[in-house]
Each structure stands twice: as C-alpha cells, then as structure tokens.
Amino acid sequence: MKRVGTRGKKIRGNMDKGRILYQVGMLCFCAILLLLPIERMHNRRLINTMAAYMASATDDEYEKISWQIRHDLVYSDFGQNKDNFIRYIPNTSDLCPTCSANDWAQAFLVCTNTGEFYEMDVYVDGFQPDTRYGAVHMASGYDEISQTELSAVRTPDQKRTTIELRRKRGIVSIHKMKTLFCDKCIRKILTATENAPIGEFVIFDSGERKFYSVDDEIPVQIGDYRIVTAEIRGDYKITVTYVN
C-alpha cells in the first residue's frame, strides 16, 4: 500500500483549497452577470415610470411629483452631506468673483444664485467720511431663483447703509453656484450658511476673504463697519453702521 508523505498531503490540500476558491469566484462572477441585466431592467423601468408620470402630469401635479422626488432622493443621507454636491456636480465657472480683487468696498452682500455683489459700505468710490454728500444713494436687486427682492439705501450723512431683503421661496441652486464660484469658495459659503435662516445671500469680507451668514443673532464687524441683521415677519433688514 502506497503511503503519501506530509509534503504530498500539503500540496494536495493547497490544490483543493485553490479549486474551491476558483469555483466560488466563478459562481460569484456568474451571479453578477445574471444580476446585471435585472438591475439594468429595474433601473430602466424606474426611469420610464418616472418619465411617464412627468410627461402626463399637469403643472400642479408636476410640482407635486418634483417635490416628492427631491424629498425622497435629495433630502436623504446623500443630500445632508454638502461635500457630495461639490464632488459630483462639475464646476464650470471661468472666474470666481470672490477670489478676484473685489477691493472697492470692505463688505459685500453676495447673492449665491446670481453671483451679484452689492456694496454694504457707507463710503465708496474714494470718498471719505468727512465728505459732505448731501444726497441719498439707492440701489436694488432681484434674485429670480429665490424670488428675493433687495433694496439698499446709503445715507453717508448718517454714516449708515440699510438693506432690506423681501423673501419668497428661499431657494439656493447649487447647480448655479457651480457656474459662478470655485469649489473652494462654494465650500466656504455652504459652511457659513449652514443652519442659517438665509442661504441665497451671504456677507463677504473682501479684505479677509471670509463669508458670514445673514443672521439676526450674530452681529458682524468688517473693517470700519458693524453689520446687524433684524428679522421682520420673514423678511430681513440689515443695518451697516460706520464705527471707526
């Protein structure tokens, strides 16, 4: 009777293990090949179902379906992580306005949906605090996405600028921001406006390159100006006072 040595047993054992691993690997591979068409079919069916609902819906139903899709898909764990928006939406901005030399004023109110800059300083265009203006300077703006109206009144004789924000929808478009700002500034803006009552506007310190939220509980000091926000029945009034 032929005896098998210890070395032969080890070789045969290794061959058996290798054969088992190979068979398990092939089974997993075959299972993946079988599941892929099913997964694609499921995804295609889901997309076709969504398309059918969207195409046949009335305007009111379309709004309702869009809200439901956004609630189920966006307001999930994925939507809670702001880095996902920065990472997966491509950035197409040519020149980030907050990275350029915006130094004609110390403080700006920046619309995150349009990239528009609104001067918050009382004294601009090279004028000094002791200059007699003798007039009131007014400006206005509008954000079509959030439907927020802005009106600003600069009264140099009183050393004050008053800005009013009349809000309706309060929507912030990350897609639009990706065409205006660089990813670094978008991350700073989202961090500054996180848990803040307003997201469509942010206060920008042009000297320090910092962002501050428009918040009725947090006064901001930027250069020669103190900025205080007050909430009035859902709208906001920002008072900028020269304090130097």
Side-chain angles (χ1 to χ4, degrees):
M1 184 175 180
K2 189 175 180 180
R3 299 178 61 186
V4 180
T6 304
R7 184 177 180 182
K9 290 181 180 179
K10 288 183 178 180
I11 293 174
R12 182 175 297 174
N14 291 335
M15 292 177 63
D16 292 339
K17 290 179 181 179
R19 189 180 295 111
I20 292 173
L21 290 174
Y22 173 77
Q23 292 174 351
V24 172
M26 288 301 296
L27 287 173
C28 292
F29 180 72
C30 292
I32 292 173
L33 290 179
L34 290 173
L35 289 175
L36 278 177
I38 298 175
E39 180 67 20
R40 289 176 182 172
M41 187 181 302
H42 175 73
N43 291 338
R44 189 178 298 125
R45 183 178 301 170
L46 178 62
I47 293 173
N48 289 338
T49 302
M50 291 171 57
Y53 272 106
M54 300 290 274
S56 61
T58 63
D59 290 342
D60 293 339
E61 292 171 341
Y62 180 85
E63 290 291 335
K64 217 175 271 187
I65 294 172
S66 300
W67 181 89
Q68 190 64 42
I69 292 174
R70 177 169 180 164
H71 183 273
D72 292 343
L73 298 182
V74 178
Y75 294 151
S76 59
D77 291 339
F78 179 90
Q80 298 302 319
N81 187 356
K82 61 179 178 293
D83 287 332
N84 287 332
F85 298 113
I86 301 174
R87 185 182 310 160
Y88 296 110
I89 300 177
N91 192 299
T92 58
S93 61
D94 294 327
L95 179 63
C96 178
T98 52
C99 288
S100 58
N102 298 314
D103 55 357
W104 68 88
Q106 297 180 40
F108 293 92
L109 190 65
V110 182
C111 180
T112 58
N113 289 323
T114 65
E116 290 291 332
F117 278 58
Y118 300 95
E119 300 166 353
M120 304 183 78
D121 292 21
V122 178
Y123 305 103
V124 294
D125 301 328
F127 289 97
Q128 300 298 321
D130 56 354
T131 303
R132 297 295 299 176
Y133 284 77
V136 175
H137 303 258
M138 304 180 67
S140 62
Y142 180 69
D143 174 20
E144 190 177 48
I145 295 176
S146 66
Q147 296 181 356
T148 300
E149 298 178 0
L150 177 148
S151 61
V153 179
R154 185 182 296 113
T155 52
D157 289 343
Q158 298 178 14
K159 300 182 178 181
R160 179 175 299 176
T161 295
T162 303
I163 302 174
E164 293 185 359
L165 297 176
R166 292 175 291 277
R167 309 175 70 224
K168 285 188 178 180
R169 302 173 66 189
I171 294 175
V172 178
S173 173
I174 304 295
H175 295 272
K176 191 65 176 177
M177 291 178 67
K178 279 288 202 170
T179 66
L180 300 169
F181 305 94
C182 67
D183 286 345
K184 183 179 180 181
C185 287
I186 292 176
R187 183 175 282 104
K188 290 181 179 179
I189 291 173
L190 294 179
T191 300
T193 57
E194 189 175 12
N195 301 322
I198 293 181
E200 64 268 29
F201 282 91
V202 65
I203 299 172
F204 178 58
D205 184 339
S206 64
E208 299 294 331
R209 292 295 188 269
K210 289 183 178 180
F211 296 94
Y212 299 92
S213 64
V214 180
D215 198 325
D216 58 342
E217 297 181 355
I218 306 176
V220 178
Q221 178 77 31
I222 297 179
D224 299 328
Y225 299 95
R226 177 177 171 82
I227 303 170
V228 179
T229 302
E231 189 268 337
I232 306 173
R233 295 187 296 275
D235 296 330
Y236 287 82
K237 180 179 180 180
I238 305 172
T239 303
V240 184
T241 308
Y242 182 81
V243 294
N244 189 357

